[in-house]
Coordinates of all heavy atoms in Angstrom, one line a residue:
Q1452 N 49.0 90.1 -143.4 CA 49.3 90.3 -144.8 C 50.1 91.6 -145.0 O 49.8 92.6 -144.2 CB 48.0 90.4 -145.6 CG 48.2 90.5 -147.1 CD 46.8 90.4 -147.8 OE1 45.8 90.5 -147.2 NE2 46.9 90.2 -149.1
A1453 N 51.0 91.7 -145.9 CA 51.9 92.8 -146.1 C 51.1 94.0 -146.6 O 50.1 93.8 -147.3 CB 53.0 92.5 -147.0
S1454 N 51.5 95.2 -146.2 CA 50.8 96.4 -146.7 C 51.0 96.6 -148.2 O 52.1 96.4 -148.7 CB 51.4 97.6 -145.9 OG 50.9 98.8 -146.5
S1455 N 50.0 97.0 -148.9 CA 50.1 97.2 -150.3 C 50.9 98.5 -150.6 O 51.2 98.8 -151.8 CB 48.7 97.3 -151.0 OG 48.0 98.3 -150.4
S1456 N 51.1 99.3 -149.6 CA 51.9 100.6 -149.9 C 53.4 100.4 -150.0 O 54.1 101.3 -150.3 CB 51.5 101.6 -148.8 OG 52.0 101.1 -147.6
V1457 N 53.8 99.2 -149.7 CA 55.3 98.9 -149.7 C 55.7 98.7 -151.2 O 55.1 98.0 -152.0 CB 55.6 97.6 -149.0 CG1 57.1 97.2 -149.1 CG2 55.3 97.7 -147.5
K1458 N 56.7 99.5 -151.6 CA 57.1 99.5 -153.0 C 58.6 98.9 -153.0 O 59.4 99.3 -152.3 CB 57.1 100.9 -153.6 CG 55.8 101.5 -153.6 CD 54.8 100.8 -154.5 CE 53.4 101.5 -154.4 NZ 52.4 100.7 -154.9
F1459 N 58.8 98.1 -154.0 CA 60.2 97.5 -154.2 C 60.6 98.0 -155.6 O 59.8 98.2 -156.5 CB 60.2 96.0 -154.1 CG 59.9 95.5 -152.8 CD1 58.6 95.1 -152.4 CD2 60.9 95.4 -151.8 CE1 58.3 94.7 -151.1 CE2 60.6 95.0 -150.5 CZ 59.3 94.6 -150.2
T1460 N 62.0 98.1 -155.8 CA 62.5 98.4 -157.1 C 62.3 97.2 -158.0 O 61.9 96.1 -157.7 CB 64.0 98.7 -157.0 OG1 64.7 97.5 -156.6 CG2 64.3 99.8 -156.0
D1461 N 62.6 97.5 -159.3 CA 62.4 96.4 -160.3 C 63.6 95.4 -160.3 O 63.6 94.5 -161.1 CB 62.3 97.1 -161.7 CG 61.0 97.9 -161.9 OD1 60.0 97.5 -161.2 OD2 61.0 98.8 -162.7
K1462 N 64.6 95.6 -159.5 CA 65.7 94.7 -159.5 C 65.3 93.3 -159.0 O 64.5 93.2 -158.1 CB 66.8 95.2 -158.5 CG 68.0 94.4 -158.5 CD 69.1 95.1 -157.5 CE 70.4 94.3 -157.5 NZ 71.4 95.0 -156.7
V1463 N 65.7 92.3 -159.8 CA 65.4 90.9 -159.5 C 66.6 90.1 -159.4 O 67.5 90.2 -160.3 CB 64.5 90.3 -160.6 CG1 64.2 88.9 -160.3 CG2 63.1 91.1 -160.7
C1464 N 66.8 89.4 -158.3 CA 68.0 88.5 -158.1 C 67.5 87.1 -158.0 O 67.0 86.6 -157.0 CB 68.7 88.9 -156.8 SG 69.3 90.6 -156.8
N1465 N 67.6 86.4 -159.1 CA 67.2 85.0 -159.2 C 68.4 84.1 -158.6 O 69.5 84.2 -159.1 CB 66.9 84.6 -160.7 CG 66.4 83.2 -160.8 OD1 66.8 82.3 -160.1 ND2 65.5 83.0 -161.8
I1466 N 68.1 83.3 -157.6 CA 69.1 82.6 -156.9 C 69.9 81.7 -157.8 O 71.1 81.4 -157.6 CB 68.6 81.8 -155.7 CG1 67.6 80.7 -156.1 CG2 68.0 82.8 -154.7 CD1 67.3 79.8 -154.9
T1467 N 69.3 81.2 -159.0 CA 70.0 80.3 -159.9 C 71.1 81.1 -160.6 O 72.1 80.5 -161.0 CB 69.1 79.7 -160.9 OG1 68.4 80.7 -161.7 CG2 68.0 78.8 -160.2
Q1468 N 71.0 82.4 -160.7 CA 72.0 83.2 -161.3 C 73.2 83.4 -160.4 O 74.3 83.8 -160.9 CB 71.5 84.6 -161.8 CG 70.5 84.4 -162.9 CD 69.8 85.8 -163.2 OE1 69.6 86.6 -162.3 NE2 69.4 85.9 -164.4
Y1469 N 73.1 83.0 -159.2 CA 74.1 83.1 -158.2 C 74.7 81.7 -157.9 O 75.5 81.5 -157.0 CB 73.6 83.7 -156.9 CG 73.3 85.2 -157.2 CD1 72.1 85.5 -157.7 CD2 74.2 86.2 -156.9 CE1 71.7 86.9 -157.9 CE2 73.9 87.5 -157.1 CZ 72.6 87.9 -157.6 OH 72.4 89.2 -157.9
G1470 N 74.2 80.7 -158.6 CA 74.8 79.3 -158.5 C 73.9 78.3 -157.7 O 74.3 77.2 -157.5
A1471 N 72.7 78.7 -157.2 CA 71.9 77.8 -156.5 C 71.3 76.8 -157.4 O 71.0 77.1 -158.6 CB 70.7 78.6 -155.8
E1472 N 71.2 75.5 -156.9 CA 70.6 74.4 -157.7 C 69.5 73.8 -156.9 O 69.7 73.5 -155.7 CB 71.7 73.4 -158.0 CG 72.8 74.0 -158.8 CD 73.9 72.9 -159.1 OE1 73.6 71.7 -159.0 OE2 75.0 73.3 -159.4
G1473 N 68.4 73.5 -157.5 CA 67.3 72.8 -156.8 C 66.6 71.8 -157.7 O 65.6 71.2 -157.4
D1474 N 67.2 71.6 -158.9 CA 66.5 70.7 -159.9 C 67.2 69.4 -160.1 O 66.9 68.6 -161.0 CB 66.4 71.4 -161.2 CG 67.7 71.9 -161.8 OD1 68.7 71.8 -161.1 OD2 67.7 72.3 -163.0
R1475 N 68.2 69.1 -159.2 CA 68.9 67.8 -159.4 C 68.3 66.8 -158.4 O 67.7 67.1 -157.4 CB 70.4 68.0 -159.0 CG 71.0 69.1 -159.9 CD 72.5 69.3 -159.6 NE 72.8 69.1 -158.2 CZ 74.0 69.0 -157.7 NH1 75.0 69.0 -158.5 NH2 74.2 68.9 -156.4
L1476 N 68.6 65.5 -158.7 CA 68.2 64.5 -157.8 C 69.0 64.5 -156.6 O 68.6 64.1 -155.5 CB 68.2 63.1 -158.5 CG 67.2 62.9 -159.6 CD1 67.4 61.5 -160.3 CD2 65.8 63.0 -159.1
Q1477 N 70.3 64.8 -156.8 CA 71.2 64.9 -155.6 C 71.1 66.3 -155.1 O 71.5 67.3 -155.8 CB 72.7 64.6 -156.1 CG 73.6 64.6 -154.9 CD 75.0 64.2 -155.4 OE1 75.4 64.4 -156.6 NE2 75.8 63.7 -154.5
I1478 N 70.6 66.5 -153.9 CA 70.3 67.8 -153.4 C 71.6 68.5 -152.8 O 72.3 67.9 -152.1 CB 69.2 67.7 -152.3 CG1 68.0 67.1 -152.9 CG2 69.0 69.1 -151.7 CD1 66.9 66.7 -151.9
A1479 N 71.8 69.7 -153.2 CA 72.9 70.5 -152.8 C 72.5 71.6 -151.7 O 71.3 72.0 -151.8 CB 73.6 71.2 -154.0
I1480 N 73.4 71.9 -150.9 CA 73.1 73.0 -149.9 C 73.5 74.3 -150.7 O 74.6 74.5 -151.2 CB 74.0 72.9 -148.6 CG1 73.7 71.5 -147.9 CG2 73.8 74.0 -147.7 CD1 72.3 71.4 -147.4
N1481 N 72.5 75.2 -150.7 CA 72.6 76.4 -151.5 C 72.8 77.7 -150.7 O 72.6 78.8 -151.2 CB 71.4 76.6 -152.4 CG 71.3 75.4 -153.4 OD1 72.0 75.4 -154.3 ND2 70.3 74.5 -153.1
T1482 N 73.3 77.6 -149.5 CA 73.4 78.7 -148.6 C 74.2 79.9 -149.2 O 73.7 81.0 -149.2 CB 74.0 78.3 -147.2 OG1 73.3 77.2 -146.7 CG2 73.9 79.5 -146.2
D1483 N 75.4 79.6 -149.7 CA 76.2 80.7 -150.2 C 75.6 81.4 -151.4 O 75.6 82.6 -151.4 CB 77.6 80.2 -150.6 CG 78.4 79.7 -149.4 OD1 78.1 80.1 -148.3 OD2 79.4 78.9 -149.6
A1484 N 75.0 80.7 -152.3 CA 74.4 81.3 -153.5 C 73.2 82.2 -153.1 O 73.0 83.3 -153.6 CB 74.0 80.2 -154.4
I1485 N 72.4 81.6 -152.2 CA 71.2 82.4 -151.8 C 71.6 83.6 -151.0 O 71.0 84.7 -151.2 CB 70.2 81.5 -150.9 CG1 69.7 80.3 -151.8 CG2 69.0 82.3 -150.4 CD1 69.0 79.3 -151.0
Q1486 N 72.6 83.5 -150.1 CA 73.0 84.7 -149.3 C 73.6 85.8 -150.3 O 73.4 87.0 -150.0 CB 74.1 84.3 -148.3 CG 74.4 85.4 -147.3 CD 73.2 85.8 -146.5 OE1 72.7 85.0 -145.7 NE2 72.8 87.0 -146.5
K1487 N 74.3 85.3 -151.3 CA 74.9 86.3 -152.3 C 73.7 87.1 -153.0 O 73.8 88.3 -153.2 CB 75.8 85.7 -153.3 CG 77.1 85.2 -152.7 CD 77.9 84.5 -153.8 CE 79.2 83.9 -153.2 NZ 79.9 83.1 -154.1
A1488 N 72.7 86.3 -153.3 CA 71.5 87.0 -154.0 C 70.8 87.9 -153.0 O 70.4 89.0 -153.4 CB 70.5 85.9 -154.4
V1489 N 70.6 87.5 -151.8 CA 70.0 88.4 -150.8 C 70.8 89.7 -150.6 O 70.3 90.8 -150.6 CB 69.8 87.7 -149.4 CG1 69.5 88.6 -148.3 CG2 68.8 86.6 -149.6
D1490 N 72.1 89.5 -150.4 CA 73.0 90.7 -150.2 C 73.0 91.6 -151.4 O 73.0 92.8 -151.2 CB 74.4 90.2 -149.9 CG 74.5 89.5 -148.5 OD1 73.6 89.6 -147.7 OD2 75.5 88.8 -148.3
D1491 N 73.1 91.0 -152.6 CA 73.1 91.9 -153.8 C 71.8 92.6 -154.0 O 71.8 93.8 -154.3 CB 73.4 91.0 -155.0 CG 73.6 91.8 -156.3 OD1 74.2 92.9 -156.2 OD2 73.2 91.3 -157.4
C1492 N 70.7 91.9 -153.7 CA 69.4 92.5 -153.9 C 69.1 93.6 -152.8 O 68.5 94.6 -153.1 CB 68.3 91.5 -153.8 SG 66.9 91.8 -154.8
A1493 N 69.7 93.5 -151.7 CA 69.5 94.4 -150.6 C 70.2 95.8 -150.9 O 69.7 96.8 -150.4 CB 70.0 93.9 -149.3
A1494 N 71.2 95.7 -151.7 CA 71.9 97.0 -152.2 C 70.9 97.7 -153.1 O 70.9 97.4 -154.3 CB 73.2 96.7 -152.8
G1495 N 70.1 98.5 -152.7 CA 69.1 99.3 -153.5 C 67.7 98.7 -153.5 O 66.8 99.3 -154.0
G1496 N 67.6 97.5 -152.9 CA 66.3 96.9 -152.8 C 65.9 96.1 -154.0 O 66.4 96.2 -155.1
G1497 N 64.9 95.2 -153.8 CA 64.4 94.4 -155.0 C 63.8 93.1 -154.5 O 63.5 92.9 -153.3
T1498 N 63.8 92.1 -155.4 CA 63.1 90.8 -155.2 C 64.1 89.7 -155.4 O 64.8 89.7 -156.4 CB 61.9 90.6 -156.2 OG1 61.0 91.7 -156.0 CG2 61.2 89.3 -155.9
V1499 N 64.2 88.8 -154.4 CA 65.0 87.6 -154.5 C 64.0 86.5 -155.0 O 63.0 86.2 -154.2 CB 65.6 87.2 -153.2 CG1 66.4 85.9 -153.3 CG2 66.6 88.3 -152.7
L1500 N 64.3 85.9 -156.1 CA 63.4 84.8 -156.6 C 64.0 83.4 -156.3 O 65.2 83.2 -156.6 CB 63.3 85.0 -158.1 CG 62.4 86.1 -158.6 CD1 62.3 86.2 -160.2 CD2 61.0 86.1 -158.1
V1501 N 63.1 82.6 -155.9 CA 63.5 81.2 -155.5 C 62.7 80.3 -156.5 O 61.4 80.3 -156.4 CB 63.2 80.9 -154.1 CG1 63.6 79.4 -153.8 CG2 64.0 81.8 -153.2
P1502 N 63.3 79.5 -157.3 CA 62.5 78.6 -158.2 C 61.9 77.4 -157.5 O 62.4 77.0 -156.4 CB 63.6 78.1 -159.2 CG 64.8 78.1 -158.4 CD 64.7 79.3 -157.5
K1503 N 60.9 76.8 -158.1 CA 60.4 75.6 -157.6 C 61.4 74.5 -157.6 O 62.2 74.4 -158.5 CB 59.2 75.2 -158.5 CG 58.5 73.9 -158.0 CD 57.4 73.5 -159.0 CE 56.8 72.2 -158.6 NZ 55.7 71.8 -159.5
G1504 N 61.5 73.7 -156.5 CA 62.4 72.6 -156.5 C 62.9 72.4 -155.0 O 62.4 72.9 -154.1
N1505 N 63.9 71.6 -154.9 CA 64.5 71.2 -153.6 C 65.6 72.2 -153.4 O 66.8 71.8 -153.7 CB 64.9 69.8 -153.6 CG 63.8 68.8 -153.8 OD1 62.7 68.9 -153.2 ND2 64.0 67.8 -154.7
V1506 N 65.3 73.3 -152.8 CA 66.4 74.3 -152.6 C 66.7 74.3 -151.1 O 65.9 74.8 -150.3 CB 65.9 75.7 -153.0 CG1 67.0 76.7 -152.8 CG2 65.5 75.7 -154.5
L1507 N 67.8 73.6 -150.7 CA 68.1 73.5 -149.3 C 69.1 74.6 -148.9 O 70.0 75.0 -149.7 CB 68.7 72.2 -149.0 CG 67.8 71.0 -149.2 CD1 68.5 69.7 -148.9 CD2 66.6 71.1 -148.4
T1508 N 69.0 75.1 -147.7 CA 69.9 76.1 -147.2 C 70.1 75.9 -145.7 O 69.2 75.4 -145.0 CB 69.4 77.5 -147.5 OG1 70.4 78.5 -147.1 CG2 68.1 77.8 -146.9
N1509 N 71.2 76.4 -145.2 CA 71.4 76.6 -143.8 C 70.8 78.0 -143.4 O 70.3 78.7 -144.3 CB 72.9 76.5 -143.4 CG 73.4 75.0 -143.5 OD1 72.8 74.1 -143.0 ND2 74.5 74.8 -144.2
P1510 N 70.9 78.4 -142.2 CA 70.4 79.7 -141.8 C 71.0 80.8 -142.7 O 72.1 80.8 -143.1 CB 70.8 79.9 -140.4 CG 71.0 78.5 -139.9 CD 71.5 77.7 -141.0
L1511 N 70.1 81.8 -143.1 CA 70.4 82.9 -143.9 C 70.3 84.2 -143.1 O 69.5 84.3 -142.1 CB 69.5 83.1 -145.1 CG 69.6 81.9 -146.1 CD1 68.4 81.9 -147.0 CD2 70.9 82.0 -146.9
F1512 N 70.9 85.3 -143.5 CA 70.8 86.6 -142.9 C 70.0 87.4 -143.9 O 70.5 87.8 -144.9 CB 72.1 87.2 -142.6 CG 72.9 86.5 -141.5 CD1 73.9 85.6 -141.9 CD2 72.7 86.8 -140.2 CE1 74.6 85.0 -140.9 CE2 73.4 86.1 -139.2 CZ 74.3 85.2 -139.6
L1513 N 68.7 87.6 -143.6 CA 67.8 88.4 -144.4 C 68.2 89.9 -144.2 O 68.6 90.3 -143.2 CB 66.4 88.1 -144.2 CG 65.9 86.7 -144.5 CD1 64.5 86.5 -144.2 CD2 66.3 86.3 -146.0
R1514 N 67.9 90.7 -145.2 CA 68.2 92.1 -145.2 C 67.0 93.0 -145.4 O 66.0 92.4 -145.8 CB 69.2 92.5 -146.3 CG 70.5 91.6 -146.3 CD 71.4 91.9 -145.2 NE 72.6 91.1 -145.4 CZ 73.4 90.8 -144.4 NH1 73.1 91.2 -143.2 NH2 74.5 90.1 -144.7
S1515 N 67.1 94.2 -145.1 CA 66.0 95.2 -145.4 C 65.9 95.4 -146.8 O 66.9 95.2 -147.6 CB 66.3 96.5 -144.6 OG 66.3 96.3 -143.2
N1516 N 64.8 95.9 -147.3 CA 64.5 96.4 -148.7 C 64.5 95.2 -149.7 O 64.7 95.5 -150.9 CB 65.6 97.4 -149.1 CG 65.6 98.6 -148.2 OD1 64.5 99.1 -147.8 ND2 66.8 99.1 -147.9
I1517 N 64.2 94.0 -149.2 CA 64.0 92.9 -150.2 C 62.7 92.2 -149.9 O 62.1 92.3 -148.9 CB 65.1 91.9 -150.1 CG1 65.1 91.1 -148.8 CG2 66.5 92.5 -150.4 CD1 65.9 89.8 -148.8
Q1518 N 62.2 91.6 -151.0 CA 61.1 90.6 -150.8 C 61.6 89.3 -151.4 O 62.3 89.2 -152.3 CB 59.8 91.1 -151.5 CG 59.9 91.3 -153.0 CD 58.6 91.8 -153.6 OE1 57.5 91.6 -153.0 NE2 58.6 92.4 -154.7
L1519 N 61.1 88.2 -150.7 CA 61.5 86.9 -151.1 C 60.3 86.2 -151.7 O 59.3 86.1 -151.1 CB 62.0 86.1 -149.9 CG 62.6 84.8 -150.0 CD1 63.9 84.9 -150.8 CD2 62.9 84.2 -148.6
K1520 N 60.5 85.8 -153.0 CA 59.3 85.1 -153.7 C 59.7 83.8 -154.2 O 60.8 83.6 -154.8 CB 58.9 86.0 -154.8 CG 58.1 87.2 -154.4 CD 57.5 87.9 -155.7 CE 56.5 88.9 -155.3 NZ 55.9 89.5 -156.5
Q1521 N 58.8 82.8 -154.1 CA 59.0 81.5 -154.8 C 58.1 81.5 -156.0 O 57.0 82.1 -156.1 CB 58.5 80.4 -153.9 CG 58.7 79.1 -154.5 CD 58.2 77.9 -153.7 OE1 57.5 78.1 -152.7 NE2 58.5 76.7 -154.1
Y1522 N 58.7 80.9 -157.1 CA 57.9 80.9 -158.3 C 58.1 79.5 -158.9 O 59.0 78.8 -158.6 CB 58.3 82.0 -159.3 CG 59.7 81.7 -159.9 CD1 59.9 81.1 -161.1 CD2 60.8 82.2 -159.2 CE1 61.1 80.9 -161.7 CE2 62.1 82.0 -159.8 CZ 62.2 81.4 -161.0 OH 63.5 81.2 -161.5
E1523 N 57.1 79.2 -159.8 CA 57.2 77.9 -160.5 C 57.7 78.1 -161.9 O 57.3 79.0 -162.6 CB 55.8 77.3 -160.6 CG 55.4 76.9 -159.2 CD 54.1 76.0 -159.2 OE1 53.8 75.4 -160.2 OE2 53.4 76.1 -158.2
I1524 N 58.6 77.3 -162.4 CA 59.2 77.4 -163.7 C 58.3 76.7 -164.7 O 57.7 75.6 -164.4 CB 60.6 76.7 -163.8 CG1 61.5 77.5 -162.8 CG2 61.1 76.7 -165.1 CD1 62.9 76.9 -162.7

């Protein structure tokens, strides 16, 4: 379990704001949109939000100073 002493900024990068889609019947690969959200959020730190749904991706490069969270809409 992660240490409770870790603090993240209030910056939130929702992958849907970067073009990711996971709510369609036809599933799209969202690698570019998710990577943009990770990279943007890593600049200064923050949280990358992933909505409930079929969010497919190829390998990603995670960065320091971010947390990755899934949430239900």
Side-chain angles (χ1 to χ4, degrees):
Q1452 189 173 12
S1454 170
S1455 61
S1456 64
V1457 176
K1458 302 293 182 200
F1459 293 96
T1460 67
D1461 292 336
K1462 183 176 184 178
V1463 175
C1464 299
N1465 184 324
I1466 65 168
T1467 59
Q1468 294 173 331
Y1469 294 83
E1472 299 179 21
D1474 58 350
R1475 302 181 325 169
L1476 293 176
Q1477 185 177 26
I1478 299 171
I1480 301 296
N1481 296 287
T1482 308
D1483 292 340
I1485 298 170
Q1486 189 65 60
K1487 286 177 187 173
V1489 167
D1490 293 344
D1491 187 34
C1492 210
T1498 302
V1499 176
L1500 289 180
V1501 179
K1503 179 181 176 182
N1505 298 315
V1506 182
L1507 296 181
T1508 182
N1509 287 314
L1511 296 166
F1512 293 97
L1513 297 180
R1514 309 286 185 205
S1515 298
N1516 303 318
I1517 67 164
Q1518 61 179 338
L1519 188 62
K1520 284 190 171 184
Q1521 180 184 10
Y1522 70 97
E1523 294 189 25
I1524 298 174

